[in-house]
Amino acid sequence: MIQAIFNELLTRYPELEVCKSEIYKAYEILAECYENGGKVLCCGNGGSAADCDHFVGELMKGFLKKRPLSPSEKEKFGEGFPADMLQKGLPAISLCAHTALMTAFDNDALPSLVFAQQVYAYADKNDVLLAFSTSGNSENAVYAAEAANAAGIKVISVTGQKPSRLGEASTVCVNLPESETFKVQELTLPVYHCLAAMLEERFFEI
């Protein structure tokens, strides 16, 4: 089923054939992260920040499946608690969503290190950084990747087709076959939807 999900992506978006091996490698890295109890950290700017929030949302709650708690998990909650409404999640954090921290750090320190600060503070050995950047040269995303490398965690980047600083700092870089910002963004969404669906299929039976 996982392969079928991946094949559907390539059928619907045949232009992604050129980066299919990188997309699948990204899935393998994310799956390994979750197999080992890690979490995913996401960063990006503008539309890429929105992609971070979107992808995290697909991981943290049901995407194509409901992901209900098991009976034994539900029993841990007190009587009257609506445990039937809770869902299992894959731990993920959007580094773009912490307004107070980000504005304080921008004001008090160096703005271009705002993601690197969070990466270095959050990173555990089995975590993964996922950086979205249409150019691949956004300084704060590059610094985040370098902080991830320093912390010893893997980096996945999703960028446009041109070689970039972010790609050089990544464990795997998905170079989408476009260079114009909005066109890169149009291909970014189906890629992370596919990754979310593949991960959900792997980790949730129902």
Side-chain angles (χ1 to χ4, degrees):
M1 184 63 181
I2 289 172
Q3 189 63 49
I5 293 169
F6 185 63
N7 291 343
E8 182 182 2
L9 172 71
L10 300 178
T11 298
R12 295 180 64 203
Y13 300 91
E15 60 268 46
L16 294 176
E17 281 281 346
V18 297
C19 53
K20 67 178 182 181
S21 62
E22 289 79 11
I23 297 171
Y24 201 85
K25 180 62 177 177
Y27 157 71
E28 291 178 328
I29 290 173
L30 292 168
E32 180 184 41
C33 162
Y34 286 128
E35 289 283 1
N36 292 308
K39 61 185 176 293
V40 174
L41 309 173
C42 297
C43 71
N45 299 293
S48 295
D51 286 325
C52 291
D53 290 350
H54 189 165
F55 185 52
V56 167
E58 310 298 23
L59 295 175
M60 287 286 287
K61 60 170 288 296
F63 175 40
L64 302 178
K65 299 185 176 187
K66 294 297 185 182
R67 307 188 199 173
L69 274 61
S70 68
S72 62
E73 289 171 320
K74 293 176 185 178
E75 288 176 1
K76 297 176 183 178
F77 295 89
E79 185 176 348
F81 187 93
D84 285 340
M85 300 303 295
L86 282 180
Q87 300 176 6
K88 295 179 182 179
L90 294 169
I93 300 171
S94 172
L95 304 182
C96 313
H98 306 292
T99 306
L101 169 61
M102 294 175 70
T103 53
F105 194 83
D106 285 354
N107 186 61
D108 300 339
L110 184 64
S112 59
L113 291 178
V114 68
F115 296 141
Q117 172 66 30
Q118 295 181 72
V119 168
Y120 205 73
Y122 276 127
D124 288 325
K125 64 179 181 179
N126 294 314
D127 293 349
V128 170
L129 172 68
L130 175 56
F132 295 103
S133 173
T134 58
S135 70
N137 292 308
S138 300
E139 192 169 44
N140 54 10
V142 173
Y143 282 149
E146 292 174 347
N149 290 331
I153 67 171
K154 293 180 179 178
V155 179
I156 298 167
S157 57
V158 180
T159 73
Q161 63 187 355
K162 297 178 181 178
S164 65
R165 293 169 59 201
L166 182 56
E168 292 173 0
S170 300
T171 311
V172 61
C173 179
V174 178
N175 292 110
L176 299 171
E178 291 289 353
S179 57
E180 199 168 356
T181 296
F182 81 93
K183 293 179 181 178
V184 177
Q185 291 172 335
E186 286 174 349
L187 291 179
T188 297
L189 187 146
V191 168
Y192 66 72
H193 268 174
C194 178
L195 292 173
M198 292 167 74
L199 290 166
E200 185 174 65
E201 181 65 25
R202 178 163 181 158
F203 290 100
F204 302 104
E205 294 181 359
I206 298 175

